[in-house]
Amino acid sequence: MIQIYHNPRCGKSRTCLAFIEQTNQEFEIIPYLTQTPSFNELKVLLKQLNIEPIQLVRTKEKIWIENFKGKTLSDDQIIITMTENPILIERPIVVKDGKAIIGRDPDLVASFLD
């Protein structure tokens, strides 16, 4: 089953969700701002995405700029920061068959779901 870590206030996330709805595949919406992934869940997502924790951070968010920009954080500290401030998690994240992508590009999502 497809999972989408979704923020309904984000245009890219809404576009990705609309695309997934059109595929007629089963999917689950995870509203990650209210159902924040745990430290371990984020570690799994990072492995599925095959990226470093900092690559999942929205570094232009006010919270990041005011509190973390320019600081040296370990990967675990970055993950903890995302669990404490889920708005910092890049979105949407699409998971299928043990792999994941950041679904900001509809063409990438289409090829990922095929």
Side-chain angles (χ1 to χ4, degrees):
M1 176 189 299
I2 299 166
Q3 294 177 309
I4 177 172
Y5 287 78
H6 177 59
N7 176 351
R9 298 188 71 198
C10 171
K12 295 279 187 187
S13 195
R14 289 192 307 268
T15 299
C16 183
L17 177 59
F19 180 82
I20 291 171
E21 289 172 335
Q22 294 173 3
T23 68
N24 294 321
Q25 297 182 54
E26 284 189 48
F27 65 92
E28 172 188 14
I29 298 171
I30 300 169
Y32 71 93
L33 293 176
T34 56
Q35 294 178 18
T36 306
S38 69
F39 179 88
N40 288 334
E41 289 169 328
L42 277 177
K43 284 195 85 140
V44 169
L45 275 174
L46 288 161
K47 186 172 183 175
Q48 291 171 324
L49 288 160
N50 195 30
I51 62 173
E52 298 297 318
I54 192 64
Q55 294 174 281
L56 191 58
V57 174
R58 296 177 55 83
T59 57
K60 294 182 182 174
E61 285 288 337
K62 184 178 180 181
I63 293 170
W64 182 264
I65 293 168
E66 291 179 354
N67 299 296
F68 305 103
K69 184 177 181 181
K71 293 185 179 178
T72 302
L73 301 174
S74 70
D75 286 351
D76 284 354
Q77 289 171 317
I78 293 169
I79 295 168
I80 291 166
T81 298
M82 287 188 283
T83 64
E84 293 172 347
N85 304 280
I87 194 71
L88 293 175
I89 300 171
E90 186 61 76
R91 74 259 182 171
I93 301 170
V94 181
V95 181
K96 181 180 179 186
D97 298 331
K99 295 183 180 178
I101 61 164
I102 297 172
R104 298 185 65 77
D105 178 350
D107 293 333
L108 183 62
V109 175
S111 62
F112 180 73
L113 295 179
D114 280 341

